């Protein structure tokens, strides 16, 4: 439509840093099969990919004739897509660009959100390359120091790794215990520092208070954990993770009936929260209640299997 206005479309292939001859042939076949009429470029060594800070594929960048980036879109979200088309048309027709209504309140830097979403998707789908997940979360934090969500997710990942080290220490030999204890302490310390930053940014957030409680609980500070979980529930009674974690804490303290009552309250609000069942399973296991622990673990797998069947490409995968 805008060919006469000198609108050019370029595709950039970012499959690999270096392409073998057979892969290059496959790209050519795909271009022919799809009937692509615009140039398809190969990003040697993924140099352009890195210079543009791409965090999702496909990504689209609109550049004007002066070489200035006028718009960008990571992945293919419906909401942003229409705005991008409007921008392209306005530039091609040399007419004023519509101004979007500015959102009120704090808005995180879009690139920080993209780094966070990429890390969240990778972690949620069980990606084993923890360095890549951590790196994206650290990039998100560095891009926007006021964005709380990457702080929370990175702290949770560190805490979960510490709990894994603790399980290895408990189940393993004396040699394994000596090897993994420093790792556990390192993860918990890093999680604690992240949560200190998160609390400064969002002291009233139920999610922040709940994760902070889980970190101190992993450090053996149960009273402090109870205070934070109680505060989280008071802030937002619908935030079920806090209720699940409080229920598990009560079971660990030997208050099984109170814990199970709290757990049932949370289940009524969110019966598909697998992390709640997992927290209870660990608490039952710690107290030697193996039958109840097995039932809770079984429920975790049932929920995850159901999520995978319904949403095979979701974070529940």
């Amino acid at each position: 439509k805008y060919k006469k206005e000198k609108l050019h479309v370029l595709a950039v292939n970012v499959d690999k840093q270096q392409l073998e001859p057979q892969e290059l042939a496959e790209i050519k076949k795909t271009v022919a099969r799809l009937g692509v009429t615009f140039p398809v470029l190969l990003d040697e060594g993924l140099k352009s990919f890195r210079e543009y800070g791409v965090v999702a594929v496909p990504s689209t960048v609109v550049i004007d004739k002066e070489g200035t980036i006028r718009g960008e879109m990571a992945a293919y979200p419906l909401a942003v897509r229409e705005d991008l088309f409007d921008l392209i048309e306005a530039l091609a027709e040399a007419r004023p660009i519509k101004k979007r209504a500015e959102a009120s309140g704090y808005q995180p830097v879009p690139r920080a959100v993209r780094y966070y979403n990429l890390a969240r998707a990778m972690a949620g789908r069980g990606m084993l390359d923890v360095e890549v997940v951590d790196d994206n979360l650290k990039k998100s934090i560095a891009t926007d120091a006021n964005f709380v969500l990457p702080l929370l997710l990175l702290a949770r990942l560190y805490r979960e790794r510490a709990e894994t080290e603790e399980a290895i220490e408990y189940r393993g030999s004396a040699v394994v215990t000596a090897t993994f204890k420093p790792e556990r302490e390192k993860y918990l310390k890093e999680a604690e520092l992240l949560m200190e930053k998160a609390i400064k940014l969002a002291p009233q957030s139920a999610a922040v208070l709940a994760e902070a409680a889980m970190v101190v609980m992993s450090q053996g500070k149960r009273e402090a954990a109870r205070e934070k979980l109680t505060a989280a529930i008071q802030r937002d009674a619908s935030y079920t993770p806090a209720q699940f974690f409080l229920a598990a804490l009560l079971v660990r303290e030997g208050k099984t009936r109170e814990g199970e009552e709290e757990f049932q309250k949370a289940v009524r609000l969110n019966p598909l929260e697998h992390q709640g069942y997992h927290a209870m399973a660990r608490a039952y296991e710690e107290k030697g209640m193996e039958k109840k622990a097995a039932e809770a673990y079984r429920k975790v797998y049932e929920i995850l299997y159901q999520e995978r069947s319904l949403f095979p490409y979701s974070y529940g995968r």
Side-chain angles (χ1 to χ4, degrees):
K1 182 179 177 181
Y2 293 106
K3 205 169 187 178
K4 292 180 181 179
E5 284 75 19
K6 305 294 185 184
L7 173 67
H8 297 283
V9 178
L10 302 175
V12 183
N13 182 286
V14 294
D15 282 347
K16 289 185 177 180
Q17 294 200 44
Q18 303 293 334
L19 292 168
E20 300 295 330
Q22 64 269 23
E23 293 165 334
L24 183 58
E26 188 62 35
I27 290 171
K28 290 180 177 178
K29 284 182 185 178
T30 303
V31 169
R33 178 173 57 82
L34 296 175
V36 174
T37 57
F38 45 80
V40 178
L41 311 178
L42 303 179
D43 190 7
E44 190 77 14
L46 298 184
K47 182 181 177 185
S48 296
F49 182 90
R50 293 192 178 94
E51 287 182 349
Y52 277 85
V54 177
V55 295
V57 177
S59 281
T60 307
V61 181
V62 181
I63 305 174
D64 66 17
K65 60 184 180 181
E66 282 77 32
T68 303
I69 293 177
R70 302 298 296 271
E72 57 179 303
M73 179 174 71
Y76 202 59
L78 294 176
V80 183
R81 186 180 66 187
E82 295 303 320
D83 291 337
L84 198 75
F85 288 156
D86 289 340
L87 171 65
I88 292 169
E89 291 176 355
L91 290 172
E93 296 169 4
R95 60 175 171 79
I97 298 168
K98 293 178 184 176
K99 286 188 176 181
R100 296 182 65 186
E102 293 186 7
S104 60
Y106 163 71
Q107 299 296 318
V109 175
R111 180 162 292 177
V113 176
R114 292 200 293 272
Y115 281 128
Y116 165 73
N117 283 335
L118 180 61
R120 178 172 175 251
M122 293 178 71
R125 292 176 182 175
M127 301 292 186
L128 298 179
D129 195 342
V130 296
E131 289 184 5
V132 177
V133 175
D134 291 3
D135 185 53
N136 279 293
L137 288 172
K138 289 173 183 177
K139 285 180 180 177
S140 179
I141 294 166
T143 303
D144 187 348
N146 295 316
F147 188 25
V148 175
L149 293 182
L151 294 169
L152 274 182
L153 179 54
L154 189 55
R156 178 171 70 80
L157 293 175
Y158 284 156
R159 171 178 60 80
E160 289 176 349
R161 289 172 204 164
E163 290 172 353
T164 301
E165 303 294 354
E166 183 179 22
I168 293 170
E169 180 181 336
Y170 173 70
R171 297 293 185 185
S173 64
V175 175
V176 174
T177 300
T179 304
F180 286 90
K181 191 170 183 179
E183 284 294 304
R184 177 179 180 275
E185 292 174 353
K186 182 189 77 171
Y187 281 135
L188 286 177
K189 184 61 179 177
E190 290 176 345
E192 183 182 15
L193 293 173
L194 288 166
M195 290 315 304
E196 286 176 1
K197 293 179 183 177
I199 287 175
K200 287 180 181 177
L201 291 172
Q204 305 300 317
S205 166
V208 169
L209 289 168
E211 184 53 45
M214 293 305 292
V215 171
V216 297
M217 188 188 298
S218 295
Q219 295 171 326
K221 303 172 184 176
R222 291 183 175 176
E223 191 57 40
R226 180 201 291 274
E227 291 176 4
K228 292 183 186 300
L229 289 171
T230 303
I233 294 168
Q234 289 174 345
R235 295 279 185 275
D236 185 355
S238 65
Y239 187 68
T240 52
Q243 292 180 318
F244 282 120
F245 296 151
L246 179 59
L249 175 60
L250 290 168
V251 170
R252 280 188 165 96
E253 292 177 338
K255 302 173 183 177
T256 306
R257 178 179 290 182
E258 291 179 41
E260 291 179 340
E261 287 175 357
E262 191 69 32
F263 177 75
Q264 289 305 321
K265 288 181 192 175
V267 168
R268 284 193 288 270
L269 287 172
N270 187 358
L272 296 178
E273 176 56 79
H274 72 271
Q275 291 187 48
Y277 284 95
H278 188 258
M280 290 296 283
R282 285 177 59 86
Y284 285 136
E285 191 173 16
E286 184 180 305
K287 299 301 291 184
M289 304 167 71
E290 294 185 356
K291 185 177 180 181
K292 283 183 174 290
E295 290 172 357
Y297 279 128
R298 186 178 297 111
K299 190 66 178 177
V300 172
Y301 288 110
E302 287 175 1
I303 293 171
L304 288 176
Y305 185 80
Q306 182 179 356
E307 286 186 3
R308 181 179 178 181
S309 301
L310 293 173
F311 312 107
Y313 299 106
S314 74
Y315 298 117
R317 185 176 183 183

